[in-house]
């Protein structure tokens, strides 16, 4: 019996050494039927020529510009679907895989026809015994994505119902793509994987974490932690996520929570003296309210008067606003008293 055909999509953007290390680990996989596709997102270094020279059997798709995580991977997914893929594995180029990881993901996905998305457990590259991610769940009551801390949480029926997965090593069954389509390109990068998981769940596909499958991940190599690029997109896309996946009053409550979150996040950047990321946070929120998706757009700037308003509210204790917009009046009293004592 033949193995299901898997296309491994690796997105590269000016991180050649990471991509080469990823490709080297992928070349050692003990699975019979897979094809590697590198999508280059308009790199300005010598990535394409070097990859082609070192891995001549690898398919390389070249984009003229950076289409983001969503646009770049969608190019790869489209290629895979047109070439008979049974599964598509979206694999970050800053990841290193164990030789049996792919075989275990296929085994998990083949168990039941309702399984649509699978993820390995993701460990820190610099600390291989420490788990970075083994699933999360969408808490619609609090409008948060809560990470799973212990493996036994995955046995909880409620968690299984709302289990969402990262795009770091997202294994996707063909019929999921046929049913819900590709990644939403309005996100560009960040939160698009959670959105994709929720879309799959709404179509009654199961999401799974294979606990004995593992990868190592070099966290935030391409964009940098808390860079203006990252802050802008994460702030904006947080709004898109809940707006896209909630209806009615729940969407209104999510908006209130979002405003409180932005006030607290912006103040946090300001307290660190990071005015560039403070601006990026507010500009990202403004882009969200305008409905402007896509790439990080530095021409989208919140009006100066509104920026002043946010800065004024941020001068209050941010927990006050978070509690207020969540209707947590006990929390308001508790946080305010704690603040006053300091």
């Amino acid at each position: 019996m033949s193995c299901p055909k898997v296309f491994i999509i690796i997105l590269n953007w000016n991180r050649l050494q990471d991509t080469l290390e990823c490709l080297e680990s992928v070349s050692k996989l003990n699975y019979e039927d897979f094809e590697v596709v590198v999508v280059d997102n308009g790199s300005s270094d010598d990535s394409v020529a070097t990859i082609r020279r070192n891995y001549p059997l690898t398919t390389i798709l070249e984009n003229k510009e950076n289409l983001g995580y969503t646009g770049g991977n969608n190019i790869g997914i489209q290629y895979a679907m047109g070439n008979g893929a049974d599964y598509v594995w979206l694999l970050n180029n800053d990841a290193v895989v164990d030789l049996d990881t792919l075989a275990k993901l296929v085994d998990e996905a083949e168990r039941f026809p309702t399984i649509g998305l699978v993820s390995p457990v993701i460990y820190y590259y610099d600390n291989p015994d420490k788990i970075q991610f083994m699933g999360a769940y969408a808490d619609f009551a609090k409008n948060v994505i809560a990470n799973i801390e212990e493996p036994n949480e995955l046995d909880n029926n409620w968690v299984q119902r709302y289990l969402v997965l990262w795009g770091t090593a997202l294994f996707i069954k063909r019929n999921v793509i046929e049913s819900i389509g590709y990644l939403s390109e309005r996100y560009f990068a960040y939160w698009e994987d959670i959105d994709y998981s929720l879309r799959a769940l709404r179509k009654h596909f199961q999401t799974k974490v294979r606990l004995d499958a593992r990868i190592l991940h070099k966290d935030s190599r391409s964009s940098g932690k808390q860079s203006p690029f990252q802050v802008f997109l994460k702030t904006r896309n947080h709004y898109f996520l809940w707006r896209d996946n909630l209806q009615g009053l729940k969407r209104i409550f999510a908006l209130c929570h979002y405003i409180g979150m932005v006030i607290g996040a912006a103040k946090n950047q300001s307290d660190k003296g990071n005015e560039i990321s403070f601006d990026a946070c507010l500009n990202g929120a403004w882009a969200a309210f305008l409905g402007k998706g896509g790439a990080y757009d530095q021409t989208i700037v919140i009006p100066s008067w509104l920026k002043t308003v946010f800065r004024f509210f941020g001068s209050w204790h941010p927990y006050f606003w978070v509690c207020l917009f969540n209707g947590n009046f006990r929390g308001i009293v508790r946080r305010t008293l704690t603040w006053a004592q300091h």
Side-chain angles (χ1 to χ4, degrees):
M1 182 177 178
S2 62
C3 298
K5 178 74 173 182
V6 179
F7 279 74
I8 304 175
I9 311 300
I10 300 172
L11 192 62
N12 177 71
W13 181 52
N14 294 325
R15 302 297 306 188
L16 176 60
Q17 293 308 313
D18 286 337
T19 302
L20 291 176
E21 186 176 6
C22 179
L23 286 169
E24 182 62 23
S25 71
V26 166
S27 70
K28 299 175 182 177
L29 287 167
N30 63 357
Y31 186 78
E32 292 183 9
D33 195 2
F34 70 91
E35 181 175 334
V36 181
V37 178
V38 172
V39 181
D40 186 76
N41 242 353
S43 295
S44 57
D45 59 10
D46 197 33
S47 289
V48 172
T50 304
I51 294 169
R52 186 170 284 129
R53 184 170 58 253
N54 285 275
Y55 296 94
L57 298 180
T58 295
T59 299
I60 302 177
L61 306 178
E62 297 181 63
N63 296 327
K64 294 182 179 180
E65 60 182 337
N66 183 6
L67 301 180
Y69 178 89
T70 54
N73 274 310
N74 281 346
I75 295 292
I77 295 171
Q78 184 178 27
Y79 175 87
M81 294 293 284
N83 286 275
D86 295 307
Y87 291 95
V88 172
W89 192 17
L90 304 183
L91 183 64
N92 275 20
N93 71 322
D94 59 353
V96 175
V97 304
D98 283 3
L99 61 88
D100 60 354
T101 298
L102 179 55
K104 290 177 178 178
L105 294 177
V106 172
D107 176 70
E108 189 69 28
E110 289 285 290
R111 286 174 180 268
F112 301 100
T114 54
I115 293 178
L117 305 178
V118 186
S119 174
V121 178
I122 300 169
Y123 292 81
Y124 286 97
Y125 180 87
D126 296 325
N127 190 355
D129 294 324
K130 183 178 180 181
I131 292 175
Q132 183 184 30
F133 181 80
M134 60 176 166
Y137 61 91
D139 188 334
F140 290 99
K142 298 179 180 178
N143 299 317
V144 297
I145 304 299
N147 282 346
I148 290 170
E149 302 294 338
E150 298 293 337
N152 59 11
E153 293 181 60
L154 291 167
D155 297 327
N156 184 294
N157 289 333
W158 190 87
V159 169
Q160 291 177 5
R161 183 179 177 185
Y162 298 107
L163 180 66
V164 293
L165 306 175
W166 280 4
T168 308
L170 186 62
F171 193 68
I172 310 171
K173 191 174 286 185
R174 181 184 182 91
N175 62 347
V176 173
I177 301 168
E178 292 172 337
S179 177
I180 70 174
Y182 295 174
L183 301 169
S184 174
E185 294 189 15
R186 73 192 303 227
Y187 287 82
F188 193 78
Y190 304 112
W191 294 104
E192 76 294 314
D193 44 6
I194 307 302
D195 172 71
Y196 201 75
S197 296
L198 292 174
R199 286 160 55 194
L201 289 168
R202 282 203 302 274
K203 288 291 186 176
H204 307 294
F205 290 103
Q206 288 180 279
T207 52
K208 291 286 185 179
V209 175
R210 177 73 180 230
L211 290 175
D212 63 345
R214 55 180 282 145
I215 70 163
L216 304 180
H217 182 223
K218 308 168 188 175
D219 193 25
S220 297
R221 290 294 180 97
S222 61
S223 60
K225 282 189 174 182
Q226 296 301 302
S227 65
F229 171 92
Q230 187 184 80
V231 170
F232 178 96
L233 292 177
K234 282 190 172 182
T235 303
R236 183 196 67 187
N237 293 351
H238 187 273
Y239 177 79
F240 287 165
L241 177 72
W242 297 110
R243 182 170 178 80
D244 290 350
N245 290 283
L246 294 174
Q247 300 293 329
L249 286 176
K250 289 183 178 180
R251 183 182 285 185
I252 296 174
F253 292 147
L255 172 61
C256 295
H257 177 272
Y258 178 75
I259 294 172
M261 183 275 293
V262 170
I263 292 172
K267 183 178 189 302
N268 182 52
Q269 295 294 342
S270 180
D271 288 346
K272 292 178 180 178
N274 193 345
E275 286 298 308
I276 296 177
S277 289
F278 171 82
D279 288 342
C281 180
L282 296 184
N283 294 340
W286 185 241
F289 294 143
L290 294 176
K292 301 288 188 179
Y296 173 33
D297 187 348
Q298 298 185 61
T299 67
I300 298 176
V301 179
I302 192 170
S304 57
W305 68 267
L306 190 53
K307 178 179 176 180
T308 302
V309 170
F310 269 93
R311 191 182 290 277
F312 170 76
F313 284 148
S315 66
W316 292 53
H317 197 275
Y319 288 117
F320 176 88
W321 296 102
V322 174
C323 292
L324 176 61
F325 287 118
N326 279 307
N328 184 0
F329 298 104
R330 288 184 180 180
I332 291 173
V333 174
R334 184 174 66 254
R335 295 290 189 181
T336 303
L337 288 176
T338 301
W339 178 46
Q341 291 173 357
H342 290 81

